[in-house]
Amino acid sequence: MASGSAMSKVSCGRDLDCVPEVTDTVAAVAKYGFDFLCMPIFHPRFKREAGLEPVKSRPGAKTRSDLLLSAREWNTLTVGKLSPWIDVDSELTTVRINSEEAMVQELNYCAYLSLPAFMIPLTTPHYANMARVLLSHIQTGHHLTTFWIRVPLMDPEDMLDDIVENAPTSSASSDEEKTWHWWNNFRTLCDYNKRVCLAVEIGSDVPSDVVIEKWLGEPIKAAILPTSIFLTNKKGFPVLSKAHQRVIIRMFKLDVQFIFTGTSQHSERDFRVYLQYLEYLNQSRPSPNAYDMFSKGYEDYLQSPLQPLMDNLEAQTYEVFEKDPVKYAQYQEAVYRCLLDRVPEDQKDTNVQVLMVLGAGRGPLVHASLKAAKQADRKLRVYAVEKNTSAVITLENIVFEEWGDQVTVVSCDMREWKAPEKADIIVSELLGSFGDNELSPECLDGAQHLLKEDGVSIPSAYTSFLAPLSSSKLYNEVRACRERDKHPECHFETPYVVRLHNFQQMAPAQPCFTFTHPNTDMDNNRYNCLRFSAVSSTVIHGFAGYFEATLYKDVMLSIRPETHSPGMFSWFPILFPLKQPLPVNRGQHVSVRFWRCNNGRKVWYEWAVTEPICCPIHNPAGRSYTIGL
């Protein structure tokens, strides 16, 4: 099946409960513009009493032949559906056993047809046996089918309560979360198997924004749109309410496929008008910003954090970072303001400021500093200090071709350099996704001897931030990173840089560790306990890390969602995973303790949840992950 992407055509399917002639129906739905057909693979009225005679021995085929469609058509144009009469969790033993055999039969036939997806409805909170049957099928087969668990956003019974006078109701929030609990328990029983995904059914009522946020953190592959939820505009065309539109538009970002179910409510119109309206909503979205364009293809992709102090970066890595226009514009502004503050107008021709770029790379900060000096009409003498001998070659070439005597290149570790003079300003870009995780504190503390007593460091301070998040997608990505020759829990005790995409952030990020420069206290070990409040029931899979940096006075850089520097893409957030998913109820508090440890040779983080339950400390003594000094 085609998968929609940003601003491309939306992938849509047609859901039918009964398909007498499969060949003609597939052709018909394609004619109306649908990309695939969603249908039962057994006739809904053909109940198999598999364990009972004489039905058990009845001759003849149990369903239609696979020869009606080509293998490619089954594999790309068809999504199967479990027969609605199957009840594997029935309290009646005969019904349960018969349903189990029928479900296994349908799952096996689905695998035989190589269907891309098979839809299983979840309509009650009782489904443990269904989960067992499905998981057994996944574990014992070699097929690649994805299983779409069809769950309504809201329980239909709760929506009926709204129109029944004096009907007993519980609180709105608990009603809204009811079907999410069905899904959460089902996927937990299936051990978060990555082939068990969601197909959410959007009803006439839409839950609150908090609950929608939670659903959007789940692995939604399809959204089912009943035609009954569409309204009619003045021209007689189908439209959706503003609330429904907001939900649909947010699902576009997750490349969700849409399935239309029900008969046309606009009989005088072709069914194409529903697809055209959905495509109109898709094309009406704002164009992706620079951050979205840069990160395309990296969504929820785990990357190991850089260790530029221990490893020399490659040219292509430098090139990626140098493409960020926002970061270097902010650095230029910071140097510009600093020069104006340090050099009065009447001294601009005689006062030459010494500026050292520590970790110069291929020179972008040198360029920004020289531009700032020209903008401020101030004189500058620049030292470009870089330990990467290959990058030094680039710097020396730029000195020869462009900078001249104004810049001196120093091939040395900043902590070991014996400078001929002290600096008025030191400029560095040693920040990682968590602020200090690329050892900026240790580097700048080690180079502080280069700075005059009244000297300025750019950046002057930075703070890391943490927020709990829910994402079964990321949990499965981390779980897949296990390596045989390492500690069995190593992959859950390692932070990852990741473009967060399919996730829910449980609460606003809180400040964790702060570092300032110049620094009077050279102890960079840190400890903090953060406490968050859950606004809805959820499952925590880890913590997202961000940072804010003060370059100079009010010139800032930030990747914290609330204050993110517009258009800046040099840093993705960092993820600190949890070994076990942590269920949290609405109103509960979550406490996490974070340590930053330094033993003189390496730096590492340790973290542990202590509320609502105590969890093991992750990465004790840096057994799984360290940052080399």
Side-chain angles (χ1 to χ4, degrees):
M1 290 177 296
S3 177
S5 58
M7 311 312 287
S8 64
K9 181 181 179 296
V10 181
S11 177
C12 294
R14 182 77 171 101
D15 175 47
L16 296 173
D17 290 329
C18 186
V19 180
E21 296 292 338
V22 63
T23 309
D24 294 341
T25 307
V26 167
V29 297
K31 177 183 175 183
Y32 283 111
F34 291 102
D35 299 289
F36 59 94
L37 171 65
C38 192
M39 67 173 190
I41 55 176
F42 281 74
H43 195 288
R45 290 185 297 180
F46 186 19
K47 298 185 180 181
R48 283 89 68 208
E49 297 177 7
L52 302 175
E53 293 289 358
V55 179
K56 182 179 179 181
S57 303
R58 179 185 295 161
K62 295 178 174 61
T63 188
R64 73 187 93 221
S65 169
D66 61 301
L67 297 177
L68 294 172
L69 296 177
S70 67
R72 181 181 179 279
E73 288 171 324
W74 285 116
N75 188 239
T76 60
L77 303 178
T78 314
V79 170
K81 288 168 51 176
L82 186 71
S83 294
W85 62 267
I86 291 177
D87 183 6
V88 293
D89 287 276
S90 173
E91 294 181 359
L92 299 175
T93 303
T94 54
V95 174
R96 175 178 58 79
I97 293 174
N98 188 55
S99 293
E100 281 184 24
E101 294 196 29
M103 182 173 176
V104 169
Q105 188 180 55
E106 295 200 7
L107 290 173
N108 288 337
Y109 196 60
C110 165
Y112 170 73
L113 296 174
S114 299
L115 298 185
F118 187 73
M119 190 180 297
I120 300 173
L122 215 59
T123 55
T124 73
H126 308 293
Y127 34 67
N129 198 38
M130 179 185 285
R132 183 192 66 83
V133 173
L134 176 59
L135 195 57
S136 297
H137 174 74
I138 293 174
Q139 295 295 332
T140 56
H142 301 287
H143 43 83
L144 301 175
T145 302
T146 299
F147 298 95
W148 292 355
I149 309 304
R150 181 172 180 168
V151 186
L153 279 183
M154 293 184 68
D155 187 354
E157 291 184 3
D158 293 329
M159 292 190 282
L160 286 174
D161 285 343
D162 295 338
I163 60 174
V164 178
E165 189 175 356
N166 298 325
T169 59
S170 55
S171 66
S173 295
S174 60
D175 284 346
E176 290 180 330
E177 294 180 343
K178 183 188 297 183
T179 56
W180 178 84
H181 283 291
W182 297 357
W183 154 250
N184 180 48
N185 292 337
F186 187 86
R187 59 97 174 269
T188 302
L189 287 166
C190 292
D191 193 28
Y192 279 81
N193 193 286
K194 63 182 180 181
R195 286 168 57 195
V196 177
C197 303
L198 252 179
V200 292
E201 184 167 358
I202 302 174
S204 55
D205 289 351
V206 176
S208 63
D209 289 344
V210 171
V211 177
I212 290 296
E213 284 282 344
K214 178 163 58 179
W215 281 110
L216 292 173
E218 303 296 348
I220 300 176
K221 295 299 182 184
I224 299 164
L225 304 177
T227 53
S228 58
I229 69 172
F230 284 82
L231 308 174
T232 305
N233 66 10
K234 293 179 180 179
K235 296 183 178 179
F237 288 91
V239 293
L240 289 169
S241 69
K242 294 292 185 184
H244 285 91
Q245 288 181 38
R246 286 194 294 271
V247 175
I248 299 299
I249 288 172
R250 298 195 64 182
M251 287 184 175
F252 285 144
K253 296 181 180 179
L254 297 178
D255 290 347
V256 169
Q257 297 176 294
F258 294 88
I259 300 172
F260 288 87
T261 185
T263 57
S264 174
Q265 304 296 305
H266 302 75
S267 54
E268 70 283 1
R269 302 283 182 187
D270 195 302
F271 217 105
R272 291 186 184 92
V273 294
Y274 290 97
L275 279 70
Q276 291 166 355
Y277 176 70
L278 207 61
E279 189 60 42
Y280 163 75
L281 289 181
N282 181 43
Q283 298 299 330
S284 299
R285 287 188 292 152
S287 299
N289 57 31
Y291 183 77
D292 292 333
M293 293 291 289
F294 175 79
S295 61
K296 187 65 180 173
Y298 288 94
E299 295 91 346
D300 296 327
Y301 175 73
L302 302 179
Q303 304 175 70
S304 297
L306 293 174
Q307 297 206 23
L309 193 59
M310 192 168 66
D311 305 325
N312 287 328
L313 300 183
E314 299 172 340
Q316 60 184 5
T317 305
Y318 284 123
E319 184 175 300
V320 169
F321 293 139
E322 290 164 5
K323 289 179 180 178
D324 191 328
V326 175
K327 176 174 66 174
Y328 296 111
Q330 290 295 91
Y331 267 100
Q332 181 178 333
E333 178 68 15
V335 175
Y336 167 74
R337 293 196 193 181
C338 184
L339 289 173
L340 291 181
D341 288 345
R342 292 185 65 84
V343 181
E345 182 69 22
D346 58 354
Q347 297 180 18
K348 68 177 185 178
D349 294 326
T350 57
N351 187 333
V352 180
Q353 292 285 292
V354 176
L355 183 145
M356 295 179 181
V357 177
L358 305 181
R362 302 198 307 180
L365 283 183
V366 178
H367 281 295
S369 299
L370 293 175
K371 287 180 182 177
K374 184 176 181 180
Q375 181 185 2
D377 193 19
R378 299 295 189 268
K379 293 188 179 299
L380 208 58
R381 183 160 58 251
V382 179
Y383 290 91
V385 184
E386 176 54 51
K387 73 174 182 64
N388 185 343
T389 54
S390 297
V392 166
I393 295 173
T394 306
L395 293 172
E396 289 174 337
N397 273 284
I398 302 175
V399 167
F400 177 76
E401 296 168 359
E402 182 180 346
W403 294 336
D405 296 339
Q406 194 176 6
V407 177
T408 301
V409 176
V410 179
S411 180
C412 184
D413 187 314
M414 67 183 77
R415 297 169 294 176
E416 301 170 357
W417 182 40
K418 307 298 182 185
E421 57 183 328
K422 291 204 170 186
D424 297 284
I425 306 168
I426 58 174
V427 183
S428 63
E429 52 171 335
L430 307 170
L431 300 174
S433 296
F434 200 49
D436 58 88
N437 65 295
E438 292 185 11
L439 305 188
S440 178
E442 284 73 18
C443 290
L444 293 180
D445 286 354
Q448 194 164 304
H449 65 279
L450 302 172
L451 191 64
K452 293 179 180 177
E453 287 292 328
D454 66 340
V456 173
S457 171
I458 299 176
S460 60
Y462 37 92
T463 299
S464 55
F465 287 79
L466 280 170
L469 64 77
S470 175
S471 174
S472 58
K473 174 74 161 53
L474 289 174
Y475 175 72
N476 271 321
E477 290 291 325
V478 174
R479 193 159 60 165
C481 291
R482 182 171 181 176
E483 298 180 44
R484 289 185 180 179
D485 58 338
K486 293 187 177 181
H487 188 277
E489 294 178 335
C490 173
H491 50 306
F492 279 108
E493 297 187 335
T494 301
Y496 302 91
V497 172
V498 58
R499 164 67 165 101
L500 299 175
H501 185 62
N502 189 190
F503 78 108
Q504 177 215 4
Q505 185 171 302
M506 191 198 87
Q510 294 184 19
C512 189
F513 304 140
T514 297
F515 297 87
T516 58
H517 301 285
N519 183 18
T520 55
D521 180 8
M522 298 296 180
D523 181 9
N524 291 316
N525 290 314
R526 294 287 191 276
Y527 164 71
N528 202 354
C529 177
L530 304 179
R531 197 166 189 249
F532 304 89
S533 180
V535 295
S536 65
S537 299
T538 188
V539 179
I540 298 175
H541 298 103
F543 293 84
Y546 311 98
F547 79 87
E548 282 182 352
T550 301
L551 296 182
Y552 183 75
K553 292 186 174 178
D554 62 343
V555 183
M556 304 283 293
L557 292 177
S558 173
I559 65 167
R560 183 163 72 101
E562 294 84 353
T563 59
H564 199 291
S565 302
M568 188 176 71
F569 52 73
S570 284
W571 295 274
F572 291 154
I574 197 167
L575 169 69
F576 293 93
L578 292 179
K579 299 174 189 176
Q580 292 296 328
L582 177 66
V584 178
N585 293 324
R586 180 168 48 92
Q588 277 189 315
H589 289 97
V590 177
S591 293
V592 61
R593 298 171 190 270
F594 254 79
W595 294 265
R596 186 185 195 269
C597 308
N598 181 333
N599 67 0
R601 301 185 311 278
K602 54 190 177 182
V603 174
W604 69 93
Y605 299 101
E606 299 177 18
W607 62 97
V609 172
T610 55
E611 187 185 11
I613 62 171
C614 263
C615 299
I617 294 174
H618 291 60
N619 197 35
R623 69 180 178 188
S624 300
Y625 174 80
T626 59
I627 313 161
L629 284 165

